[in-house]
Amino acid sequence: DKFNRLAERYHTAMYSRRVDYERRDINGAFITIHTFAHLLIKRLCFNCGYGSSSLRERIYFSSDSENRMNGILIYTSSGDSEGSMGGLVRQGKEQFLGRLLKDSIEDSRWCSSDPVCSDIGKSSGQGPDNINGSACHNCCIIPETSCEEHNMLLDRSAIYGHLEDPSIGYFDFSKNKDNDR
């Protein structure tokens, strides 16, 4: 599928850059969770007024049937009070978390660079070695220091699909048109 082709482009690029590269466990589920982490960081920055370089991600992923895991950790990259006081901690509370997640998912539907971002993502890919799908600085890219994957392996269509085929997204809302907030 589309996301496995993206993962293969990644492996090919890494083999060409490093002789000692060992193939990693990367598939469509990894691309989905990684993209979601970026959307979540961007939404947290918007909601709390953080600079995007003050948050970082940690991806916990394995598709091994005996050790399967899918998780993300978003944390502050500095030891000051910015993360513990103010909006970031509050966003994790029960009354705000659902809205935060829903808004992050909704953010994947549209990019201010669409239709260009979406079209390039569907055709040739974006970024170095075309290792990203529909993911640009306006929708998914975060500062390099915040991303453990160097802003590679991102595609917002993995979250919500795209107009021509919403079913490729993890959250396929095409079947239920009445998704009110």
Side-chain angles (χ1 to χ4, degrees):
D1 79 334
K2 172 185 178 176
F3 306 112
N4 288 332
R5 287 192 308 270
L6 196 63
E8 284 305 314
R9 285 198 305 256
Y10 171 81
H11 292 304
T12 301
M14 293 302 109
Y15 283 129
S16 71
R17 291 181 188 164
R18 295 183 15 216
V19 177
D20 62 339
Y21 175 74
E22 292 184 29
R23 192 174 180 88
R24 297 176 42 209
D25 183 14
I26 295 173
N27 59 24
F30 179 88
I31 292 166
T32 302
I33 199 165
H34 184 225
T35 304
F36 182 70
H38 281 229
L39 293 166
L40 192 57
I41 286 172
K42 287 182 108 55
R43 176 51 59 176
L44 281 167
C45 291
F46 178 79
N47 287 358
C48 302
Y50 278 75
S52 55
S53 62
S54 63
L55 298 179
R56 291 192 179 164
E57 70 177 359
R58 180 76 176 140
I59 308 294
Y60 298 93
F61 177 81
S62 173
S63 63
D64 178 37
S65 60
E66 293 184 23
N67 299 310
R68 187 174 310 266
M69 68 176 142
N70 295 293
I72 56 174
L73 171 66
I74 307 296
Y75 62 99
T76 57
S77 56
S78 60
D80 63 8
S81 63
E82 188 176 348
S84 59
M85 302 181 73
L88 188 60
V89 172
R90 188 177 312 116
Q91 291 294 305
K93 295 196 181 286
E94 184 178 355
Q95 65 265 36
F96 300 110
L97 186 59
R99 170 61 113 200
L100 172 68
L101 298 176
K102 191 171 187 172
D103 287 347
S104 298
I105 294 164
E106 187 69 26
D107 290 343
S108 72
R109 290 182 71 183
W110 184 81
C111 171
S112 60
S113 291
D114 276 343
V116 174
C117 176
S118 179
D119 289 347
I120 293 173
K122 285 186 284 187
S123 59
S124 61
Q126 299 186 62
D129 300 307
N130 301 321
I131 296 174
N132 287 331
S134 298
C136 71
H137 287 279
N138 293 323
C139 58
C140 292
I141 304 292
I142 60 176
E144 286 288 321
T145 56
S146 297
C147 177
E148 64 182 12
E149 295 295 332
H150 310 287
N151 281 315
M152 293 187 279
L153 299 166
L154 299 166
D155 191 340
R156 63 189 165 88
S157 69
I159 306 294
Y160 215 103
H162 48 76
L163 290 174
E164 292 81 20
D165 188 5
S167 67
I168 66 166
Y170 183 79
F171 298 97
D172 177 9
F173 293 109
S174 63
K175 296 175 184 126
N176 182 6
K177 302 286 186 200
D178 298 322
N179 285 318
D180 294 335
R181 289 185 176 250

